[in-house]
Amino acid sequence: MTYDLTNRRVVPLDLDGVTDKAGLMDRCARSLALPDWFGRNWDALADSLSDRTVWPEGADGRGPLLVVRDWRAYADARPQEWATAQEVFAELAERDPALTVALAVGGSAEHLTGQAGRSDRA
């Protein structure tokens, strides 16, 4: 089991090779060990991840840290779906503050919902 510095269970969601919604849903089902009732749609993703009984062992105390990695190819291939995925992840974090969803570095800021896609750094 992997934990972060605050002793929260780290749950990786690696999207390497995912280029469509079906692939994302399959990867979520496998990587996050979602229940059999997971319907492989946006509402079912939100419902299953907001159900604390679905969280991995060791995550029910401080909450899991879901780290989404290698998401750029999916964001490039399906920008509207990626925007919806981000909305679902944001809704989950708002619904239960114990759950944190983080996008791993490596994706471009232009794919983040509401971002201008530019850097203010010199």
Side-chain angles (χ1 to χ4, degrees):
M1 241 183 266
T2 305
Y3 292 87
D4 73 358
L5 296 175
T6 63
N7 203 33
R8 292 184 323 164
R9 176 76 161 89
V10 176
V11 181
L13 176 59
D14 190 342
L15 300 184
D16 184 38
V18 172
T19 57
D20 61 14
K21 180 181 173 185
L24 173 68
M25 295 298 165
D26 287 343
R27 188 69 52 90
C28 286
R30 281 194 318 272
S31 297
L32 306 176
L34 298 180
D36 291 339
W37 54 260
F38 173 58
R40 287 177 165 67
N41 61 60
W42 299 119
D43 289 336
L45 181 62
D47 290 344
S48 60
L49 289 177
S50 64
D51 181 350
R52 286 180 175 228
T53 65
V54 173
W55 289 1
E57 183 179 331
D60 56 349
R62 297 181 68 83
L65 170 59
L66 176 61
V67 179
V68 183
R69 301 185 304 206
D70 295 320
W71 51 268
R72 186 163 182 169
Y74 179 57
D76 288 341
R78 305 288 182 144
Q80 293 298 332
E81 288 178 12
W82 176 240
T84 301
Q86 289 179 92
E87 289 173 15
V88 170
F89 293 142
E91 177 186 320
L92 287 167
E94 288 175 13
R95 190 183 298 181
D96 191 336
L99 172 67
T100 300
V101 180
L103 299 180
V105 175
S108 170
E110 68 188 344
H111 298 292
L112 299 175
T113 301
Q115 295 292 321
R118 62 178 186 81
S119 173
D120 293 329
R121 291 174 154 187

